[in-house]
Amino acid sequence: MGFGAIRSILRPLSRTLVSRVASSCSSAPAIPAAKPELCSLFGGSRLPWIAMATHFHSLSLTDTRLPKRRPMAHPKKKRFKLKPPGPYAYVQYTPGEPIASNNPNKGSVKRRNAKKRIGQRRAFILSEKKKRQGLVQEAKRKKRIKEVERKMAKVARERAWEERLAELQRLEEEKKKSISRIMTTSLAREKKIKTNGIWLNVAEKGDDGGPLVLLLHGFPETWFSWRHQIDFLSSHGYHVVAPDLRGYGDSEFLPSHESYTVSHLVADVIGLLDHYDTAQAFVAGHDWGSVIGWSLCLFRPDRVKGFISLSVPYSPRDPNLKPSEFSKTFGDGLYITQFQKPGRAEAAFAKHDCKTVMKKFLLTTRTDFMVAPPGTEIIDDLEIPSKIPEWITEEEIQVYADKFQKSGFTGPLNYYRAMDLNWEILAPWEGSKILVPTKFIAGGRDIGAKETMEYVKGEMFKSIVPNVEVVVIEDGHHFIQQEKSKQVSEEILSFFNKLRTTEFEIEASNKKLQFRFAQAVFILSPMDPDAVKSTLSNLAFGNVLAAAARDYKKEVLANEKAQSSNPVNEEVDLDELMDDPELEKLHADRIAALKREVEKREAFKRQGHGEYREVSEGDFLGEVTRSQNVICHFYHKEFYRCKIMDKHLKTLAPRHVDTKFIRVDAENAPFFVTKLAIKTLPCVLLFSKGVAIDRLVGFQDLGTKDDFTTTKLENVLIKKGMLSKKKKEEDDEDAEYQESIRRSVRSSENLDSDSD
């Protein structure tokens, strides 16, 4: 049993005894008589004096401490009820009078002070409550004010943004109007022409029946650099055509630098001449356009009436020194050297906006070679003049900036990265002369003008370009056709007018050898197929050239043999055949049917049919809804099976012109991938009138194997109604076409074989 339990038992007993002793003392001060039981216990009639009252009184009356623990026998009560009765404070005391136990200090000073403190505390609590309420209300008021201020600031910001946006839109509209006004002052017509397998953007002006003039721009320019010459020459009866070269402006971009060799570029020019059905044309080129023009005069002199080169003279091939090795002699600072590494120049250009880059190039007045200090990029070394010169305006510079902002600089820089390939391609023409009548125009303050003038005025240049005129505009810089537009235009016109009045023919000592390489046709200086083979043995395309030369020789012999056996056909009465009405009707119907078919195919091609194209997510809906039947392949560039599907669809596209073949990168088209529930790649969706009617998921419908044939895929698409079944005649033509391709491939692989 603990001490607390013992105390809870003894405390009531002590209180009882104390109360009795106190009552007896109040009635008689003498010591009371003891009870018999107690007296007998202690052996007498009276109890011995024991200060029990004082002891218990001290324990009960003066000990006002609360118990540390609640008595176990008592129920759970509030602590204040356990306080023992007794005085709680000092009061006035009259000696000899007892303190009443049932009147505990009523009206005492301590009680009054306690009430006063309680009142003060209540007043303090109320005042604090009012203060807090006032603070809360003030905080709420400030919060409301801040909310109103935030809303007003938001409205002000939105209004300011709207005003700024309207201002930017107005400036953009003004810029577009000024640019369109600049672009339309010459009234040049722009259109896309497919030549040599790519799409070129072409600006043309003038009478279609006039002599064709082809203007080739340089770096970093577009067809817009010839705007003054287009107006001037077209007003004098010429049909002027100025293309954006491949990789520039709105023309098609090819990422590999191997697609920018002079053979590809000359083939593009030949394709343009064929498109305009022109056997010969006048050609003018500036910078890289001059390089292309010189190569055209070297490869196909029969297609050029006259050539004008601006800024860049013809340089013969050095058999012992590649262009990249020559550029290294100037160190790493030469712009050509810095342009060689893919991505280096693009990263340097990206540090500036396009307009700044164009200003640095177009407005440069340097006359030395463009060599930057060590550790500096050439674009950072070029300076912009404090004042824009009079020959160009801010709006015209913006035209260039907008085009390069859209197309980027990789395509134009690939021209420099293909210089070593050009050196290899030009090996067969080493030592050849430019026999086409030419004119060279340069500025006296051009880049490297001193060295250029010494070269063009020397005997070497005149020996390799014997029919050349040299014109130097002393105060002209590099972009001379824009800076000195009037003088250059007059020089071009006078030269072309002189050639129009005099017939110029290129004489060759032996028969010219004509052959087809890719889609371009070149005429070489006199050489036989064996010489071509031996000379081009170290080139990547030498086998193709030699095989093509041998095929041409056989074709010529076959034509001569066919012409010698023609007399039998002369016995046919042509007049009688022409008078046959049924034959005339059949002929007219056949001509009309062929014409309708050709018009239909051309209409399909204008809509993008006949080729397997990639479209972006933004163009997807337009491509699908503009055609009757559309086959769309959702692919991933790293999936092997997607590449297999691409190969077969690319083969089918030109064979079925009435159906459009496109593909979409699923990684870059998340909206339509989710919308069309595409979960497995490759996935080929079949659209009819803009509605997805069916799909090919993986290779499930093609035997689930990777080695299925194009014919099997074609039959599946025919069954699903996406392709029309081809006629037997068309199948025969396709078979003959495929057989001709196989023959050309075999001939290119086995040059020494006589099986061809």
Side-chain angles (χ1 to χ4, degrees):
M1 180 180 294
F3 177 76
I6 295 174
R7 186 174 58 183
S8 65
I9 295 172
L10 293 178
R11 185 170 284 173
L13 179 61
S14 66
R15 289 174 180 171
T16 304
L17 291 176
V18 167
S19 62
R20 290 181 180 181
V21 170
S23 61
S24 62
C25 290
S26 62
S27 59
I31 298 174
K35 290 185 177 183
E37 296 84 0
L38 294 176
C39 293
S40 63
L41 179 62
F42 290 100
S45 60
R46 287 184 175 273
L47 289 174
W49 172 252
I50 303 174
M52 293 181 63
T54 306
H55 173 71
F56 283 106
H57 181 74
S58 63
L59 291 175
S60 61
L61 296 181
T62 61
D63 188 7
T64 59
R65 294 175 298 173
L66 296 176
K68 294 183 179 180
R69 294 181 60 187
R70 186 174 70 252
M72 299 294 292
H74 286 209
K76 203 170 185 179
K77 297 180 180 179
K78 292 184 179 180
R79 291 276 182 167
F80 72 90
K81 290 185 179 181
L82 298 178
K83 290 183 180 181
Y88 294 96
Y90 292 103
V91 296
Q92 288 183 351
Y93 172 69
T94 305
E97 293 183 2
I99 300 174
S101 60
N102 59 354
N103 188 13
N105 303 322
K106 181 177 181 181
S108 65
V109 175
K110 185 176 181 181
R111 180 64 178 170
R112 289 196 301 270
N113 293 337
K115 288 183 177 180
K116 183 179 179 179
R117 286 193 300 271
I118 292 171
Q120 291 174 347
R121 180 172 179 79
R122 288 177 179 173
F124 174 76
I125 292 173
L126 289 176
S127 65
E128 291 297 319
K129 183 178 180 181
K130 290 181 179 179
K131 288 182 181 178
R132 286 195 300 271
Q133 289 177 349
L135 293 175
V136 170
Q137 291 176 357
E138 181 67 18
K140 289 181 177 179
R141 186 180 67 81
K142 291 182 178 180
K143 184 177 180 181
R144 286 195 298 270
I145 292 174
K146 288 183 178 179
E147 289 179 354
V148 172
E149 290 177 350
R150 282 197 299 269
K151 290 180 180 179
M152 293 176 65
K154 182 179 178 181
V155 171
R157 284 197 306 270
E158 291 178 352
R159 187 172 299 170
W161 275 114
E162 290 176 356
E163 293 176 356
R164 179 59 178 164
L165 181 60
E167 180 68 16
L168 292 176
Q169 289 177 348
R170 185 183 64 79
L171 294 175
E172 187 69 20
E173 290 296 329
E174 289 181 357
K175 185 179 74 173
K176 288 182 179 179
K177 288 180 181 178
S178 62
I179 292 175
S180 63
R181 184 170 61 255
I182 294 171
M183 300 290 284
T184 55
T185 50
S186 62
L187 298 178
R189 306 180 300 273
E190 285 191 74
K191 65 179 181 180
K192 294 288 184 68
I193 296 176
K194 190 164 189 180
T195 171
N196 194 23
I198 66 169
W199 289 95
L200 295 182
N201 182 59
V202 172
E204 61 176 324
K205 185 179 180 181
D207 186 8
D208 294 343
L212 182 66
V213 175
L214 198 61
L215 304 177
L216 308 175
H217 66 81
F219 174 88
E221 298 171 299
T222 62
W223 72 262
F224 187 66
S225 63
W226 296 103
R227 57 193 178 279
H228 305 294
Q229 288 72 35
I230 292 175
D231 291 339
F232 186 81
L233 295 175
S234 61
S235 64
H236 287 79
Y238 287 92
H239 179 202
V240 186
V241 174
D244 286 337
L245 300 179
R246 60 168 60 195
Y248 282 88
D250 295 324
S251 290
E252 188 172 345
F253 163 73
L254 300 173
S256 175
H257 71 281
E258 296 179 355
S259 301
Y260 293 85
T261 62
V262 289
S263 60
H264 293 91
L265 301 172
V266 171
D268 293 347
V269 175
I270 297 297
L272 288 177
L273 298 181
D274 293 340
H275 174 81
Y276 288 101
D277 196 19
T278 302
Q280 284 187 321
F282 296 106
V283 181
H286 172 253
D287 194 71
W288 267 105
S290 295
V291 177
I292 300 171
W294 290 120
S295 301
L296 177 65
C297 295
L298 197 63
F299 296 160
R300 292 302 304 270
D302 61 311
R303 305 300 297 268
V304 184
K305 291 182 180 180
F307 173 61
I308 296 179
S309 172
L310 276 65
S311 303
V312 178
Y314 174 68
S315 297
R317 178 183 185 272
D318 187 346
N320 301 318
L321 189 63
K322 289 185 177 182
S324 60
E325 296 173 354
F326 173 75
S327 300
K328 290 179 181 178
T329 59
F330 292 88
D332 185 66
L334 184 67
Y335 72 101
I336 296 177
T337 304
Q338 294 186 358
F339 290 175
Q340 294 299 312
K341 184 178 179 181
R344 176 180 176 179
E346 291 91 330
F349 292 175
K351 297 177 183 178
H352 310 273
D353 60 273
C354 273
K355 192 170 184 179
T356 301
V357 174
M358 298 311 302
K359 285 184 177 180
K360 283 177 173 286
F361 278 115
L362 294 175
L363 307 182
T364 182
T365 57
R366 295 179 62 164
T367 58
D368 59 335
F369 287 108
M370 295 176 63
V371 181
T376 306
E377 296 296 326
I378 191 65
I379 190 64
D380 299 326
D381 188 52
L382 295 175
E383 297 180 356
I384 300 176
S386 58
K387 183 180 179 181
I388 301 296
E390 296 180 356
W391 57 268
I392 196 169
T393 63
E394 289 280 356
E395 291 78 9
E396 291 173 335
I397 296 176
Q398 188 64 46
V399 173
Y400 289 110
D402 292 342
K403 292 297 182 182
F404 281 95
Q405 182 69 37
K406 178 181 178 182
S407 64
F409 289 93
T410 300
L413 292 171
N414 280 338
Y415 285 68
Y416 294 92
R417 293 163 187 164
M419 292 175 69
D420 284 349
L421 294 176
N422 294 338
W423 180 81
E424 295 178 358
I425 290 172
L426 292 172
W429 289 271
E430 185 178 321
S432 300
K433 296 182 179 181
I434 302 295
L435 301 178
V436 175
T438 57
K439 189 173 189 175
F440 178 69
I441 304 175
R445 298 179 182 178
D446 199 349
I447 299 171
K450 181 179 178 181
E451 292 78 4
T452 302
M453 293 303 105
E454 292 177 355
Y455 171 66
V456 298
K457 292 179 181 179
E459 295 297 329
M460 180 180 177
F461 181 67
K462 293 182 179 179
S463 64
I464 58 179
V465 189
N467 302 303
V468 63
E469 297 179 19
V470 178
V471 176
V472 178
I473 302 176
E474 294 298 336
D475 57 343
H477 294 87
H478 183 67
F479 298 94
I480 194 168
Q481 81 273 28
Q482 302 180 70
E483 182 183 8
K484 303 294 181 181
S485 59
K486 184 177 180 181
Q487 189 172 351
V488 171
S489 299
E490 291 175 352
E491 292 287 348
I492 294 175
L493 180 64
S494 63
F495 182 70
F496 288 165
N497 283 341
K498 182 177 66 175
L499 294 179
R500 289 179 67 180
T501 57
T502 59
E503 189 75 19
F504 185 87
E505 296 180 357
I506 302 174
E507 297 182 356
S509 56
N510 297 323
K511 181 176 70 173
K512 296 176 182 177
L513 174 65
Q514 183 176 8
F515 63 91
R516 181 174 296 274
F517 167 58
Q519 295 184 18
V521 180
F522 305 111
I523 293 185
L524 299 177
S525 56
M527 60 177 66
D528 58 349
D530 295 331
V532 173
K533 176 181 175 182
S534 61
T535 306
L536 301 179
S537 59
N538 62 335
L539 301 181
F541 58 88
N543 295 342
V544 180
L545 293 180
R550 187 171 58 253
D551 290 342
Y552 174 74
K553 186 175 180 180
K554 292 181 179 180
E555 183 181 351
V556 171
L557 295 175
N559 289 338
E560 292 177 354
K561 184 177 180 180
Q563 290 177 0
S564 63
S565 59
N566 252 353
V568 178
N569 298 331
E570 295 178 357
E571 298 178 1
V572 179
D573 191 353
L574 297 179
D575 294 335
E576 183 178 352
L577 290 176
M578 293 301 294
D579 294 336
D580 190 352
E582 293 184 1
L583 183 61
E584 289 182 0
K585 184 176 182 302
L586 291 174
H587 181 68
D589 293 342
R590 181 58 176 166
I591 291 296
L594 290 175
K595 188 175 181 180
R596 287 193 300 271
E597 185 66 24
V598 169
E599 291 177 352
K600 184 178 178 181
R601 292 176 70 89
E602 290 298 326
F604 279 134
K605 288 183 178 180
R606 285 193 296 271
Q607 296 177 4
H609 293 233
E611 58 178 340
Y612 185 48
R613 298 180 296 109
E614 181 166 353
V615 299
S616 62
E617 186 178 23
D619 299 333
F620 175 74
L621 285 178
E623 294 287 349
V624 169
T625 56
R626 279 198 295 265
S627 299
Q628 175 77 15
N629 294 332
V630 180
I631 297 175
C632 180
H633 175 208
F634 280 83
Y635 77 100
H636 193 281
K637 58 186 176 182
E638 296 181 359
F639 288 4
Y640 174 70
R641 285 197 163 188
C642 291
K643 296 179 181 179
I644 295 176
M645 184 63 73
D646 280 340
K647 180 188 70 173
H648 294 298
L649 293 177
K650 188 174 182 180
T651 304
L652 291 175
R655 296 171 57 182
H656 297 273
V657 185
D658 53 342
T659 301
K660 182 184 290 186
F661 289 77
I662 60 175
R663 68 173 188 164
V664 177
D665 190 348
E667 192 175 9
N668 296 329
F671 175 78
F672 288 108
V673 169
T674 305
K675 194 73 175 177
L676 298 172
I678 298 173
K679 299 180 180 179
T680 304
L681 298 180
C683 182
V684 179
L685 295 179
L686 310 180
F687 292 89
S688 178
K689 297 181 180 179
V691 179
I693 60 173
D694 204 346
R695 66 178 62 194
L696 301 179
V697 180
F699 295 165
Q700 295 178 1
D701 298 333
L702 304 168
T704 68
K705 293 183 180 180
D706 296 350
D707 56 349
F708 66 90
T709 62
T710 305
T711 304
K712 188 168 186 177
L713 175 61
E714 184 179 23
N715 292 334
V716 171
L717 294 175
I718 290 174
K719 289 180 181 179
K720 293 182 179 294
M722 296 305 298
L723 302 180
S724 58
K725 192 171 183 180
K726 300 190 71 177
K727 298 178 181 179
K728 188 176 184 305
E729 294 82 359
E730 295 177 347
D731 293 336
D732 294 341
E733 291 177 0
D734 288 342
E736 292 177 1
Y737 174 71
Q738 296 294 337
E739 182 63 26
S740 65
I741 292 177
R742 286 194 292 271
R743 285 200 302 269
S744 62
V745 171
R746 286 198 300 270
S747 65
S748 63
E749 293 177 351
N750 302 313
L751 289 176
D752 297 331
S753 174
D754 294 331
S755 61
D756 295 333

